[in-house]
Amino acid sequence: MLNKENNMPLYRQLEELIQSNIETGVWNHGQLIPSESELIKQFGVSRTTVRQALGALVSYGILKREQGRGTFVAESKFEHPLTEVTSFTRDIQRKGHKPGSITLFAEEVVPSARVATKLELKEGETVIRLERLRTVDGEPVGLHTSSLVTSLVPGLDIAELRNNDVSLYEILLSRLKVPMSEAIDTLEASVTDDCRSRLLGVPKGSPVLRVERVAYLTNGRPVEHGEMIYNAGCYKSVIRLSVRQRND
Amino acid sequence: MLNKENNMPLYRQLEELIQSNIETGVWNHGQLIPSESELIKQFGVSRTTVRQALGALVSYGILKREQGRGTFVAESKFEHPLTEVTSFTRDIQRKGHKPGSITLFAEEVVPSARVATKLELKEGETVIRLERLRTVDGEPVGLHTSSLVTSLVPGLDIAELRNNDVSLYEILLSRLKVPMSEAIDTLEASVTDDCRSRLLGVPKGSPVLRVERVAYLTNGRPVEHGEMIYNAGCYKSVIRLSVRQRND
DNA sequence: TAGTGGTCTAGACCACACT
DNA sequence: GTGTGGTCTAGACCACTAA
């Protein structure tokens, strides 16, 4: 089951194993999973390791713990813990629809002042700019513009980005030397201009959800600036928030 | 420093102590804090306990750990980890502005079918409905409608809610017997209808950010349904997302 | 009363950063 | 090499749930 020689820590392996048991339906939503002591026996690891794996899955909203009762697979209500950065492709697939993409632009360019500031770029630094029309089941729903700091994604092939079937995030995560750690999204309501109305196939001035994103590496460097514009009728953003008990 | 007789677990006490050291400026943003072994000596607890406290603060975005270097107070870039439910009042105050509220409606009512479904109510159950116009520095920016499950907030005084200076979340957190654990927000772009345009002082059909929220107790019961409508020009929603490293 | 998760201890070895 | 955080073990006692 678990492999101590593997590079991946035991708790991480256990985490994925439990998650795959849920995804493949071995354990169903709302059901009790084996107790900590059973998992200890079954996988031959210590309680700390088991609890580290369970704790991570609880924080993702995949499991729920109840003292004295046991650990349960969370109800599907909390199935999509979208406090993680997700790829549009995966997100739409998970909802049972077919994501699509039409690349409008993919070049190495000098960024606008706004993007350069957000990405903390020095004079003369360039970005790889990718503009795509995103579709769901063939219908246009949004416009994505990504600017990647060229120097942080060495060897990224622009021709590869033009391929309409690639997931930008999967390429990014596999290519980056320093891993990505987090992103700040700013969401606001807006209305379409002339050009975007035509691309999205809606009347000029239609409401859209505009999301601006800056993604950071674990060393704190910004690596991507993104702008996502979604047709209001087609796309909502769902976020799971935690309530921190305060004593102040 | 830490009190073993206290009801609050040691790691939780340590967590608050570290946080207060940051808030009072004992440790500054970007600075190194004492190492784990120093904290062990200083507070007379085990490494597990120290790491549990530090781990929580890291997950809140308050601390950053770097292997081989140490643990740092996060830069202010990530100071506001808005993957937590926040009160409008606190949120605006933190940005250095003056929040305000005008109560439009506060009564115990039979909820709409939509709200009853979201709150998983049985036939005949009532909610306490609170409608407020929210202001920042005196200007109207949003409309908040909250429906609280009456049976879960016993002793909640409706007259108290009419007071324009109360923070609903502070009242809720202090009154609930079962603590609140999380909320699901759904954000979308929309446009104002006639009535809302007048209240917000914008032309009919102006873009607004519409947020629908369902808040849950730790036992999984929904306790609040909220609808927040913000003037697009005045309010953006900022979210910090984590990137989960996947190996699939 | 038996079993569960919640907290805590005192160790151990490793990978990594700095000097 | 020394010190840091990352992972892991083998215990312990407690609070809570359910039979």
Side-chain angles (χ1 to χ4, degrees):
Chain A
M1 299 285 195
L2 304 186
N3 174 11
K4 298 205 183 196
E5 313 312 318
N6 195 320
N7 268 333
M8 203 188 297
L10 289 174
Y11 75 91
R12 201 71 187 67
Q13 292 181 46
L14 182 54
E15 209 183 303
E16 302 213 336
L17 204 151
I18 292 170
Q19 195 167 4
S20 97
N21 273 349
I22 295 167
E23 280 169 3
T24 59
V26 179
W27 300 329
N28 289 313
H29 294 286
Q31 263 189 4
L32 196 62
I33 72 165
S35 71
E36 294 179 357
S37 59
E38 281 177 57
L39 292 171
I40 289 165
K41 271 182 286 184
Q42 193 174 338
F43 296 106
V45 293
S46 73
R47 185 154 179 224
T48 311
T49 304
V50 168
R51 281 185 65 79
Q52 200 168 357
L54 296 181
L57 292 168
V58 167
S59 80
Y60 303 149
I62 292 168
L63 298 178
K64 293 270 158 191
R65 286 199 269 222
E66 289 185 39
Q67 192 174 39
R69 300 225 301 140
T71 305
F72 300 81
V73 181
E75 295 294 347
S76 54
K77 201 182 343 190
F78 300 123
E79 203 174 346
H80 306 311
L82 293 194
T83 48
E84 288 172 40
V85 172
T86 54
S87 111
F88 179 83
T89 308
R90 282 184 79 106
D91 194 22
I92 299 300
Q93 278 173 345
R94 212 152 51 157
K95 289 174 182 151
H97 293 278
K98 193 173 175 308
S101 185
I102 297 164
T103 302
L104 305 172
F105 183 89
E107 296 289 349
E108 183 175 346
V109 298
V110 175
S112 69
R114 176 180 178 77
V115 171
T117 305
K118 293 278 184 184
L119 291 175
E120 301 170 15
L121 296 182
K122 297 193 205 79
E123 186 74 27
E125 275 198 275
T126 63
V127 297
I128 293 169
R129 183 179 170 95
L130 178 64
E131 294 180 19
R132 293 178 295 176
L133 178 66
R134 308 308 302 248
T135 61
V136 173
D137 300 333
E139 293 297 312
V141 303
L143 286 161
H144 284 196
T145 305
S146 282
S147 302
L148 305 165
V149 178
T150 311
S151 58
L152 295 176
V153 288
L156 185 64
D157 182 6
I158 293 180
E160 185 182 15
L161 294 178
R162 289 212 181 82
N163 179 339
N164 287 332
D165 296 321
V166 299
S167 163
L168 176 61
Y169 274 90
E170 277 166 32
I171 292 182
L172 264 187
L173 289 178
S174 64
R175 291 297 163 75
L176 288 168
K177 298 210 168 147
V178 179
M180 225 193 268
S181 71
E182 54 198 340
I184 305 287
D185 274 16
T186 305
L187 290 82
E188 63 181 322
S190 184
V191 290
T192 52
D193 59 20
D194 226 27
C195 163
R196 285 164 179 157
S197 295
R198 272 197 297 273
L199 286 165
L200 290 173
V202 295
K204 185 179 169 184
S206 297
V208 288
L209 184 64
R210 181 177 175 277
V211 183
E212 189 175 15
R213 168 175 298 173
V214 182
Y216 297 85
L217 303 180
T218 51
N219 62 14
R221 280 216 58 174
V223 63
E224 185 208 5
H225 177 275
E227 184 188 38
M228 285 83 84
I229 289 175
Y230 297 104
N231 181 350
C234 303
Y235 192 88
K236 298 178 184 185
S237 174
V238 179
I239 302 154
R240 195 170 69 101
L241 303 164
S242 64
V243 176
R244 221 176 129 198
Q245 302 302 325
R246 298 185 177 274
N247 297 56
D248 52 2
Chain B
M1 299 285 195
L2 304 186
N3 174 11
K4 298 205 183 194
E5 313 311 319
N6 195 321
N7 268 334
M8 202 188 295
L10 291 174
Y11 76 90
R12 199 77 185 66
Q13 293 180 45
L14 182 54
E15 208 182 304
E16 303 214 336
L17 205 150
I18 291 170
Q19 194 168 4
S20 97
N21 273 350
I22 295 167
E23 280 169 4
T24 60
V26 179
W27 300 329
N28 289 314
H29 293 287
Q31 262 189 5
L32 197 60
I33 72 165
S35 72
E36 295 179 357
S37 59
E38 281 176 58
L39 293 171
I40 290 165
K41 274 182 284 185
Q42 191 172 340
F43 295 106
V45 292
S46 72
R47 184 154 178 222
T48 311
T49 305
V50 167
R51 281 185 65 81
Q52 201 167 356
L54 296 181
L57 293 168
V58 167
S59 80
Y60 302 149
I62 292 167
L63 297 179
K64 294 270 157 193
R65 286 200 270 222
E66 289 186 39
Q67 191 175 38
R69 302 227 298 139
T71 305
F72 300 81
V73 180
E75 294 294 347
S76 54
K77 200 190 319 188
F78 301 124
E79 202 174 348
H80 306 312
L82 291 195
T83 47
E84 287 174 41
V85 172
T86 54
S87 112
F88 180 83
T89 308
R90 282 183 78 107
D91 195 23
I92 299 300
Q93 278 173 345
R94 213 154 47 159
K95 290 174 181 152
H97 294 277
K98 194 174 174 306
S101 185
I102 297 164
T103 301
L104 306 172
F105 182 89
E107 297 288 351
E108 183 175 345
V109 296
V110 175
S112 69
R114 176 181 178 75
V115 171
T117 305
K118 293 277 185 185
L119 292 175
E120 301 170 13
L121 295 182
K122 297 193 205 80
E123 186 73 28
E125 276 198 277
T126 62
V127 297
I128 293 169
R129 184 180 169 95
L130 178 65
E131 294 179 20
R132 293 178 294 177
L133 178 65
R134 308 306 304 249
T135 61
V136 172
D137 300 333
E139 293 296 312
V141 303
L143 286 161
H144 284 195
T145 305
S146 281
S147 302
L148 305 165
V149 178
T150 310
S151 58
L152 295 177
V153 287
L156 184 64
D157 183 5
I158 292 180
E160 186 182 13
L161 294 180
R162 288 211 183 83
N163 179 338
N164 286 333
D165 295 323
V166 299
S167 164
L168 176 60
Y169 274 89
E170 276 166 31
I171 293 183
L172 264 187
L173 290 179
S174 65
R175 290 297 163 74
L176 289 168
K177 299 207 168 149
V178 180
M180 223 193 269
S181 71
E182 54 197 341
I184 305 286
D185 275 16
T186 305
L187 290 83
E188 62 181 322
S190 184
V191 291
T192 52
D193 60 20
D194 226 26
C195 164
R196 286 166 178 154
S197 294
R198 273 197 298 273
L199 286 165
L200 290 174
V202 295
K204 183 179 168 184
S206 296
V208 288
L209 184 64
R210 182 177 174 275
V211 184
E212 189 174 15
R213 168 175 298 174
V214 182
Y216 298 85
L217 304 181
T218 50
N219 62 15
R221 279 217 57 174
V223 63
E224 185 208 7
H225 177 275
E227 185 189 38
M228 285 83 83
I229 289 175
Y230 297 104
N231 181 349
C234 302
Y235 193 88
K236 298 179 185 186
S237 175
V238 179
I239 302 154
R240 194 170 69 101
L241 303 164
S242 64
V243 176
R244 215 175 135 201
Q245 300 304 324
R246 295 184 179 275
N247 299 58
D248 51 1

